[in-house]
Amino acid sequence: MKENIFCFIFARGGSKGIPKKNILPIAGLPLLVHSINLAKSLSKVDKIFVSTDCEEISKIARNQNVQVIKRPFELAQDNSSEWEAWQHAIKYVQSNYEKFDKFLSLPTTAPLRIKEDVERCLSALDFDIDLVLTMSKANRSPWFNMVTSDSSSKVNLIFKDSGICRRQDAPVCYDLTTIAYVSRPEYIIKSSSMWDGNVYGVEIPPERCIDIDNPFDYSIAKFLMENRNYPDFDI
């Protein structure tokens, strides 16, 4: 029996790091549209929704023929919970559209991902997994070369008593990335965070994992997308 998979793109109007971040242009398209186009390229995705508090973002989404969810003011602030925004969107869709089986979130800030990355995430959600996220191998390790600094600028290894003295002996660490998140609606609704259940990580190459959070990230992502050959979306 076919599962209904609904894709959600969460795009606030405000951003302290970069004004209007979610609609910044890269390769001739707003970041939001890159996420929408990727969602449209996924044959398993049945419906696409954009959750936003911003009329400009809403207009762009409607022009792309996707549904818009009005995001409440209290869920669209810099300190708002993304998890609660997920819960709000799911409840809205279940009340105004229909029930569905799988929840897919495609953040706007990871434009270098490819279709295959997201398809792997969708396939990874199994009966014993509650949520799938993405990760890439970290260049730094809290066991070897990551430190804390106190008020006097004295530093210490995060795990300074581990006995690990060589990078090769440190456990492999991963950075969380924003390529995609996959879960089931009922898990998100009943849980207080993604870590309440069994979480599975899909490893993505670091060159596709840039998460745009500041102007430097944006300049790198823009350069890579506009000056290198990445696989086209199969639309």
Side-chain angles (χ1 to χ4, degrees), residues 79-104:
N79 59 352
S80 297
S81 164
E82 181 83 358
W83 189 257
E84 290 180 5
W86 288 11
Q87 292 174 328
H88 169 266
I90 290 169
K91 291 176 182 177
Y92 178 89
V93 168
Q94 289 178 334
S95 297
N96 294 277
Y97 291 87
E98 60 185 296
K99 304 288 185 182
F100 61 102
D101 302 301
K102 281 187 180 180
F103 166 97
L104 166 65

Side-chain angles (χ1 to χ4, degrees), residues 60-72:
I60 293 172
R62 292 190 183 101
N63 286 340
Q64 296 296 317
N65 297 313
V66 301
Q67 304 300 318
V68 173
I69 299 170
K70 179 66 175 177
R71 188 163 170 176

Side-chain angles (χ1 to χ4, degrees), residues 152-163:
S152 62
S153 297
K154 293 180 180 178
V155 298
N156 278 300
L157 279 172
I158 295 176
F159 296 142
K160 67 176 181 178
D161 297 322
S162 66

Side-chain angles (χ1 to χ4, degrees), residues 18 26 31 107-113 117 134-136 175-179 204-225 228 230:
I18 310 178
I26 285 187
L31 280 175
T108 63
T109 54
L112 294 169
R113 68 191 154 210
D117 297 332
T134 54
M135 60 190 189
S136 64
D175 292 322
L176 295 183
T177 70
T178 57
I179 301 296
I204 307 293
E207 64 268 19
R208 298 204 295 270
C209 290
I210 293 175
D211 179 30
I212 298 175
D213 191 49
N214 55 54
F216 181 67
D217 300 330
Y218 173 65
S219 65
I220 294 175
K222 190 173 188 295
F223 173 82
L224 292 178
M225 286 199 73
R228 295 186 181 181
Y230 282 86

Side-chain angles (χ1 to χ4, degrees), residues 10-198:
F10 296 87
R12 295 188 304 118
S15 174
K16 284 187 176 180
I18 310 178
K20 295 187 175 182
K21 176 174 67 175
N22 290 309
I23 55 176
L24 285 175
I26 285 187
L29 295 173
L31 280 175
L32 172 66
V33 176
H34 283 287
S35 290
I36 291 172
N37 284 348
L38 181 50
K40 288 179 177 178
S41 77
L42 298 166
S43 60
K44 292 182 179 181
V45 168
D46 299 285
K47 285 187 173 65
I48 304 168
F49 298 88
V50 170
S51 169
T52 186
D53 62 316
C54 173
E55 185 53 41
E56 187 175 5
I57 290 174
S58 297
K59 183 178 180 180
I60 293 172
R62 292 190 183 101
N63 286 340
Q64 296 296 317
N65 297 313
V66 301
Q67 304 300 318
V68 173
I69 299 170
K70 179 66 175 177
R71 188 163 170 176
F73 174 82
E74 64 272 16
L75 296 181
Q77 307 308 301
D78 287 325
N79 59 352
S80 297
S81 164
E82 181 83 358
W83 189 257
E84 290 180 5
W86 288 11
Q87 292 174 328
H88 169 266
I90 290 169
K91 291 176 182 177
Y92 178 89
V93 168
Q94 289 178 334
S95 297
N96 294 277
Y97 291 87
E98 60 185 296
K99 304 288 185 182
F100 61 102
D101 302 301
K102 281 187 180 180
F103 166 97
L104 166 65
S105 171
L106 289 182
T108 63
T109 54
L112 294 169
R113 68 191 154 210
I114 61 174
K115 180 178 176 180
E116 179 187 356
D117 297 332
V118 183
E119 289 176 333
R120 289 174 59 208
C121 294
L122 288 169
S123 299
L125 189 69
D126 207 344
F127 69 93
D128 60 342
I129 300 298
D130 296 304
L131 185 138
V132 176
L133 49 71
T134 54
M135 60 190 189
S136 64
K137 283 184 180 176
N139 292 322
R140 307 251 175 221
S141 167
W143 284 273
F144 183 72
N145 57 5
M146 291 184 70
V147 300
T148 58
S149 177
D150 63 20
S151 58
S152 62
S153 297
K154 293 180 180 178
V155 298
N156 278 300
L157 279 172
I158 295 176
F159 296 142
K160 67 176 181 178
D161 297 322
S162 66
I164 294 173
C165 300
R166 300 190 312 151
R167 176 180 56 81
Q168 295 87 343
D169 297 330
V172 177
C173 294
Y174 295 87
D175 292 322
L176 295 183
T177 70
T178 57
I179 301 296
Y181 300 89
V182 181
S183 188
R184 297 180 186 85
E186 57 270 22
Y187 173 73
I188 295 172
I189 293 298
K190 74 178 182 181
S191 303
S192 59
S193 82
M194 67 176 65
W195 303 106
D196 285 354
N198 296 321

